[in-house]
Amino acid sequence: MSQLIKPMNYRQLLDMKQTEQGIKLIKEFFQQNISTELRLRRVTAPLFVLKGLGINDDLNGVERAVTFPIKDLGDAQAEVVHSLAKWKRLSLAEYNIEPGYGIYTDMNAIRADEELDNLHSLYVDQWDWEAVITREQRTVDFLKNVVRRIYAAIRRTEYLTCETYPQIKPFLPEDITFIHSEELLQMYPDKNAKEREDAICKKYGAVFIIGIGGKLSNGEKHDGRAPDYDDWSTVAEDGRQGLNGDILIWYPVLQRSFELSSMGIRVDKDSLLRQLKIEGKEERKQLYFHKRLLDGSLPLSIGGGIGQSRLCMVLLQKGHIGEIQASIWPDDMREECRKIGMNLI
C-alpha cells in the first residue's frame, strides 16, 4: 500500500464502457502504425518456454519465473516468459528476415515478484518487436532515429484518442529529448535514479535515457539490464557506453515519470562476451541461445517492448493500470482506489 499514488482530485474521464472502447481503439491503431513505421510483420509468440535454454528474459537477474512441469515431457520444467527479448531474435533467423524489416507480437507475461502499485501489475502485456539491422547501423544515431519514429506513432495515437474523446486533452510534447544516463547523473548528482528520471521528464515532457545497464561514474547502474540482449557496454561515437535505453514521459495525472518502452540495439558477439564477463555470467555461453549468437547464426538486431496497458493508461489518462487490465490486487489497495474514484477491473 505504501507504493500507491493517490492523485489529487482524480476524476475518471471515461466510464467503464468508454474505457473498453478506448482500449480497443488505441491497441488497433497503434499496432498498425508501429508495424508500418518500422516495417514489422506480426508473428505468434509463446506464453512459456523450456527452462535451461537461455531463451527467457532475465530482466534484472533476480526475478523468479513462474514454472510448471510438463507431464508428456517427463516433467521437464517450463517457464512463463518475462518478455520475449531473446526469443524474437531466434525468430528473426527462423523467418529469414532481411535487414530493414522485422517482427512484432503480443507478449503476455506473469511477473510474480513485481511490487504492485499504480504502474506495476503481476500481468504484463507488451508489443514486443525486433528488426534486423546491418553492422553499420549499430550506432547511437540509428537508435535515436528509431526512437523518434516510435514516439511519432505514440503521438499520432494520442491525437486520434483525443479526437474520439474530446474530454481528454493532449499533453505529450512534439519532440522527444535524448540524454545519456551519465549526463543525467551529472545534472542531478544528489538524486537517485528514480528522482533523476522525474526531474528530467518534468523538464522536457518526453525523454529517451541512453545507456542503461552499465555502471556510471558513481559506481552504480541507472537501472539493471540482463547481459545478453541489450548492448549497454559498447562505447559509442560520443565516448559514452550504451546502445540502449528507455522511453519515458512526464505523466501529469500521477505527477511522476512514466516508462513506456525499454529498447535497444542488441548484443553482438563481442559485447555479449564482454557483458557476460562483467556480470559474472560466463557459464551462459553454454546455453542454446548464447551458442547460436556466438556461432554467428543469429542476425544483428534492434528491438524492444512497448507496454500495451501502460500506453492505454496514459492516453486514456487513468490513475491506475488496474483500470485498464484485469489482474490481482491487494484488497486494501482496491478499497483505497475505490474511495478516490479509481475503479479497478
Side-chain angles (χ1 to χ4, degrees):
M1 277 301 299
S2 62
Q3 301 296 319
L4 180 66
I5 300 172
K6 301 178 184 179
M8 295 288 290
N9 303 314
Y10 180 71
R11 182 172 65 90
Q12 288 188 324
L13 299 178
L14 304 178
D15 62 26
M16 291 188 71
K17 179 180 177 181
Q18 291 172 317
T19 297
E20 293 291 357
Q21 292 171 335
I23 292 170
K24 181 175 184 290
L25 175 80
I26 290 167
K27 288 188 175 184
E28 289 180 349
F29 183 80
F30 180 79
Q31 70 176 330
Q32 183 62 51
N33 265 257
I34 200 68
S35 65
T36 302
E37 187 69 52
L38 300 182
R39 296 194 288 189
L40 309 173
R41 78 170 63 149
R42 191 188 184 285
V43 298
T44 300
L47 177 60
F48 39 81
V49 294
L50 281 174
K51 185 176 181 179
L53 296 180
I55 298 175
N56 204 356
D57 182 354
D58 298 294
L59 301 177
N60 293 313
V62 297
E63 295 88 349
R64 298 169 300 169
V66 175
T67 62
F68 60 91
I70 306 171
K71 180 181 177 181
D72 265 9
L73 294 182
D75 281 347
Q77 293 290 306
E79 293 181 336
V80 176
V81 297
H82 278 145
S83 86
L84 298 169
K86 292 178 251 184
W87 176 88
K88 292 177 296 181
R89 199 162 175 184
L90 292 167
S91 295
L92 291 178
E94 184 175 340
Y95 284 103
N96 197 27
I97 304 292
E98 295 293 321
Y101 296 87
I103 59 174
Y104 82 95
T105 192
D106 292 296
M107 189 284 297
N108 298 289
I110 300 172
R111 297 184 183 174
D113 287 338
E114 200 72 80
E115 294 184 6
L116 307 180
D117 58 22
N118 301 64
L119 307 185
H120 297 91
S121 170
L122 300 175
Y123 170 64
V124 179
D125 54 344
Q126 295 181 167
W127 289 287
D128 253 347
W129 66 274
E130 198 85 8
V132 179
I133 62 175
T134 65
R135 173 69 58 181
E136 293 71 30
Q137 290 173 323
R138 299 188 81 256
T139 67
V140 172
D141 284 343
F142 181 79
L143 174 66
K144 289 180 177 179
N145 176 265
V146 174
V147 170
R148 289 190 184 99
R149 290 156 66 188
I150 293 172
Y151 184 68
I154 291 172
R155 288 194 69 241
R156 285 194 294 272
T157 310
E158 181 191 44
Y159 174 78
L160 175 65
T161 305
C162 295
E163 282 287 293
T164 306
Y165 303 103
Q167 64 270 46
I168 299 176
K169 304 303 179 187
F171 66 91
L172 294 175
E174 182 176 350
D175 298 313
I176 188 167
T177 298
F178 294 89
I179 188 166
H180 193 278
S181 55
E182 177 63 37
E183 184 183 355
L184 187 58
L185 172 62
Q186 299 306 318
M187 288 177 66
Y188 304 106
D190 298 326
K191 298 181 184 294
N192 62 35
K194 179 65 184 68
E195 291 168 341
R196 296 195 294 270
E197 289 179 355
D198 286 345
I200 198 68
C201 287
K202 188 171 185 179
K203 182 176 182 179
Y204 292 110
V207 180
F208 185 76
I209 300 177
I210 303 171
I212 296 179
K215 288 185 178 180
L216 305 176
S217 59
N218 64 353
E220 299 176 357
K221 299 177 180 181
H222 182 84
D223 199 359
R225 283 294 185 276
D228 39 19
Y229 55 96
D230 280 355
D231 186 338
W232 42 258
S233 64
T234 291
V235 178
E237 300 91 333
D238 59 3
R240 299 189 189 276
Q241 287 188 325
L243 293 173
N244 72 334
D246 289 345
I247 296 175
L248 299 104
I249 61 163
W250 178 253
Y251 190 39
V253 174
L254 297 180
Q255 289 292 295
R256 56 157 289 170
S257 58
F258 192 115
E259 180 188 321
L260 288 176
S261 176
S262 175
M263 58 173 287
I265 291 172
R266 306 309 199 184
V267 289
D268 59 6
K269 177 180 179 179
D270 292 340
S271 54
L272 173 65
L273 292 173
R274 180 168 57 248
Q275 291 176 187
L276 289 177
K277 185 175 182 180
I278 290 171
E279 295 297 304
K281 303 290 186 181
E282 291 182 280
E283 72 280 359
R284 292 188 186 179
K285 290 187 291 185
Q286 304 307 314
L287 298 175
Y288 172 75
F289 170 83
H290 303 72
K291 285 182 176 180
R292 289 285 306 274
L293 202 157
L294 292 172
D295 70 16
S297 63
L298 299 182
L300 298 174
S301 68
I302 183 173
I306 303 165
Q308 294 188 16
S309 290
R310 284 197 173 196
L311 184 63
C312 293
M313 178 182 169
V314 164
L315 298 187
L316 299 178
Q317 298 186 15
K318 298 292 187 176
H320 196 291
I321 199 164
E323 297 177 87
I324 298 295
Q325 57 161 249
S327 187
I328 298 173
W329 308 100
D331 289 340
D332 54 352
M333 181 180 286
R334 281 188 177 274
E335 179 60 20
E336 288 299 312
C337 288
R338 186 194 62 79
K339 289 178 181 178
I340 58 176
M342 296 191 303
N343 297 313
L344 308 189
I345 298 172

